[in-house]
Amino acid sequence: MPDYLAVRHILTSPRIADRATPHIGEDRVDWYPLLVEAESMSSGESLLVRIAYDLWHASGDVDLWELPRRLDRASFGRVVEALGLSRGELSGDELEALVAAA
């Protein structure tokens, strides 16, 4: 379930974890209340939620230009890691080891 790992990785980013994790289940995300919550987040924080949503639903709601221009370095790196997870290139354990080593 690489897509779920990728989405969870983005939503547990330190920037939004406090507000996003209550909406993350064992193998699902309760999107409606999370998207409502994202309306009161900063533009970069709400972009993280929209990226996670787009990965899960393939909605095409995120424009590529937004990533380098609207995300800070840490958030951009987290999205790149999530893309690797989504492709099945990293396991959750491998990603945790990389994050711990950084």
Side-chain angles (χ1 to χ4, degrees):
M1 170 177 295
D3 287 337
Y4 176 74
L5 288 175
V7 166
R8 188 180 71 193
H9 185 61
I10 292 171
L11 296 178
T12 58
S13 167
R15 291 207 51 189
I16 61 171
D18 289 346
R19 297 174 75 178
T21 52
H23 306 290
I24 302 171
E26 190 70 28
D27 59 354
R28 64 170 184 74
V29 175
D30 195 1
W31 287 108
Y32 180 74
L34 179 55
L35 292 171
V36 170
E37 180 75 24
E39 291 175 5
S40 64
M41 293 179 181
S42 73
S43 62
E45 293 167 345
S46 66
L47 178 57
L48 287 173
V49 174
R50 289 190 307 115
I51 292 167
Y53 183 84
D54 199 16
L55 276 174
W56 191 258
H57 291 284
S59 60
D61 291 335
V62 177
D63 294 319
L64 187 59
W65 67 265
E66 292 182 271
L67 279 67
R69 292 185 185 163
R70 296 184 61 205
L71 293 176
D72 63 21
R73 177 180 288 223
S75 296
F76 182 85
R78 193 131 184 136
V79 169
V80 170
E81 292 165 350
L83 293 174
L85 283 167
S86 183
R87 290 176 50 93
E89 294 176 356
L90 293 170
S91 71
D93 292 337
E94 289 171 322
L95 182 60
E96 286 179 25
L98 286 173
V99 170

